[in-house]
Amino acid sequence: MSTPPSSERSASRERSSRLPARPGIAGMEPYGAPQLDVPHLLNVNENPYPPSAEVVETIARDVAAAAGGLNRYPNREFLALRSDLADYLATESGVRVAPEQVWAANGSNEVMLHLLQAFGGPGRAALSFAPTYSMYPEYARDTLTEWIAGRRETDFTVDPDVATAAVLEHQPSVILLTSPNNPTGTTLPSSTVRAVCEAALAVDVDGAPAVVVVDEAYGEFRRDGVPSAMELLSTYPNLAVSRTMSKAFALAGARVGYLAASRDLVDVLRVVRLPYHLSAVTQAVARAALKHSATLLAQVDALRAERDATVEWLRSRQLAGVPLEVADTDANFVLFGSFDDRHAVWQGLLDRGVLIRETGPDGWLRVSIGTPQDMVAFKDALVEVAGL
Ligand SMILES: *Cc1c(COP(=O)(O)O)cnc(C)c1O
């Protein structure tokens, strides 16, 4: 065989160094918050309190038991975990659903992907209300679903009439409501969720109504008297309420998210999940942690109090004579602004060992609620950097 001339060799090398990344993906960078090693991590809304020794012991014991069976694929339907999650939801929200009405995956990120794989797709649209969670447009992109950003009011609430009009105009197959919303912390009254569910029933997607997903990733942090959309599940068969063990539950590293919905809705999700998507180890960790839900959630009240104190402190501060703006929040973070150069403020805090998040509308910043020591460091650094 003769060697091809060198110009041909380099042409073929050039071709092979290019890859057929599809439109929509080509040239994109992977998205994610910076993971930096600094003393005060207040950027991804984690619970700052690690699991107690007692919880760690149960998890280690139950994972050891699961390890003995790792030659076999895990249980694909994981009804034991779904039953434990249903029990937890009944205690937390007062609403009892059957295990078959619960679905779980590797983080609520994957639950959301299942929803869009099942109910979105080419020729269909997903609607949400911005500013909201920055991952939603990525799930839409990854499932070839058109992304439509409806609008929130200037106080970050959703006007039920504006929302209803957007649903009727765009005829989305999936509507994402986030309550408490990220990055604003704002909750939706149940009258707004109801109005959107009613509008969804009037949508015609191949002869069916739209699906409404209420993302309650921060549900456990809501203030007293703020309802959960769990209460509307029995009224709307096209409603799904999504939760996670990553935030209040202090288990972000385990990657467990879940939802409650009608049995029929869950059955559609079972079609699109990869076989054995939830490993035996993950199932064991989640079930072990759920045995200790009271302990794991023990810090939630302290975090809510720290959040309310942080809001009050920020509202008492002035920037060149103007009080800081602070969004109402039912979550474990606070969105505040507005700064002419928010990146400089973010960087100044980072230089002082405090990592927060540059997100939300221009000029705003988001801080997660940490331990009292974290919050002292945050406030001291902010006073120094922004000259409050
Ligand atoms: C953090 C967060 C989630 C949770 O994601 P996991 O994949 O469960 O860790 C979901 N929705 C919103 C709005 C969030 O902020």
Side-chain angles (χ1 to χ4, degrees):
M1 250 230 253
S2 65
T3 323
S6 69
S7 61
E8 241 175 73
R9 277 206 308 275
S10 72
S12 86
R13 231 186 347 257
E14 200 174 290
R15 251 199 319 279
S16 65
S17 72
R18 284 187 316 221
L19 294 165
R22 67 169 169 81
I25 300 289
M28 303 282 291
E29 291 289 328
Y31 175 81
Q35 289 192 306
L36 305 172
D37 186 14
V38 299
H40 304 287
L41 295 171
L42 303 175
N43 72 328
V44 286
N45 305 337
E46 293 151 333
N47 189 318
Y49 298 101
S52 68
E54 193 194 359
V55 176
V56 170
E57 199 180 303
T58 307
I59 291 176
R61 192 192 61 215
D62 292 2
V63 167
L70 286 179
N71 56 313
R72 301 292 178 193
Y73 282 111
N75 186 314
R76 230 175 10 228
E77 301 297 338
F78 52 96
L79 274 165
L81 170 58
R82 289 158 75 189
S83 171
D84 291 352
L85 287 166
D87 288 345
Y88 168 70
L89 281 172
T91 311
E92 202 281 331
S93 70
V95 179
R96 161 68 57 188
V97 295
E100 291 82 2
Q101 290 181 264
V102 176
W103 186 241
N106 298 281
S108 57
N109 275 268
E110 191 182 42
V111 170
M112 213 59 86
L113 189 65
H114 287 167
L115 283 161
L116 283 167
Q117 285 175 326
F119 300 111
R124 294 182 167 198
L127 170 70
S128 194
F129 298 91
T132 191
Y133 191 37
S134 45
M135 286 305 297
Y136 297 149
E138 305 224 345
Y139 311 144
R141 177 200 70 194
D142 294 348
T143 56
L144 302 172
T145 309
E146 186 193 347
W147 174 248
I148 298 166
R151 74 171 167 86
R152 284 174 178 260
E153 305 306 303
T154 47
D155 62 357
F156 305 129
T157 56
V158 173
D159 181 319
D161 295 332
V162 171
T164 299
V167 170
L168 297 179
E169 179 191 345
H170 297 292
Q171 300 279 305
S173 60
V174 179
I175 302 155
L176 294 170
L177 297 176
T178 320
S179 182
N181 184 44
N182 180 3
T184 63
T186 330
T187 41
L188 300 175
S190 71
S191 55
T192 304
V193 179
R194 272 177 191 279
V196 172
C197 286
E198 290 295 333
L201 290 174
V203 169
D204 183 353
V205 192
D206 301 326
V211 165
V212 178
V213 182
V214 181
D215 184 347
E216 291 191 350
Y218 302 94
E220 288 94 343
F221 293 106
R222 68 192 185 277
R223 285 171 289 185
D224 293 336
V226 175
S228 161
M230 287 291 299
E231 293 167 20
L232 302 177
L233 276 181
S234 60
T235 314
Y236 297 104
N238 57 331
L239 172 66
V241 180
S242 149
R243 295 279 187 107
T244 181
M245 294 182 83
S246 295
K247 309 285 162 60
F249 227 95
L251 216 64
R255 307 303 299 127
V256 183
Y258 56 101
L259 65 65
S262 65
R263 227 174 261 244
D264 288 347
L265 195 153
V266 170
D267 281 346
V268 184
L269 302 181
R270 290 171 56 226
V271 176
V272 298
R273 59 105 179 91
L274 294 172
Y276 318 112
H277 70 286
L278 211 53
S279 86
V281 172
T282 303
Q283 293 181 40
V285 171
R287 296 196 67 203
L290 284 160
K291 290 178 193 164
H292 293 280
S293 49
T295 320
L296 281 160
L297 291 165
Q299 314 288 355
V300 165
D301 282 343
L303 290 166
R304 287 151 102 208
E306 192 71 44
R307 166 199 65 205
D308 294 339
T310 305
V311 168
E312 225 175 284
W313 181 84
L314 285 164
R315 285 193 173 142
S316 74
R317 298 280 128 180
Q318 301 202 340
L319 197 59
V322 183
L324 276 182
E325 287 183 86
V326 185
D328 276 333
T329 173
D330 276 284
N332 66 335
F333 54 80
V334 185
L335 187 74
F336 61 100
S338 144
F339 301 96
D340 290 339
D341 186 352
R342 74 165 166 185
H343 182 73
V345 176
W346 178 85
Q347 184 65 54
L349 289 176
L350 182 56
D351 295 342
R352 287 160 181 78
V354 180
L355 179 60
I356 65 167
R357 192 73 181 270
E358 228 182 319
T359 185
D362 257 2
W364 292 68
L365 291 165
R366 191 192 71 196
V367 62
S368 310
I369 301 303
T371 62
Q373 296 86 327
D374 288 327
M375 300 324 286
V376 168
F378 161 72
K379 289 185 266 190
D380 288 351
L382 189 65
V383 167
E384 226 177 282
V385 171
L388 297 175

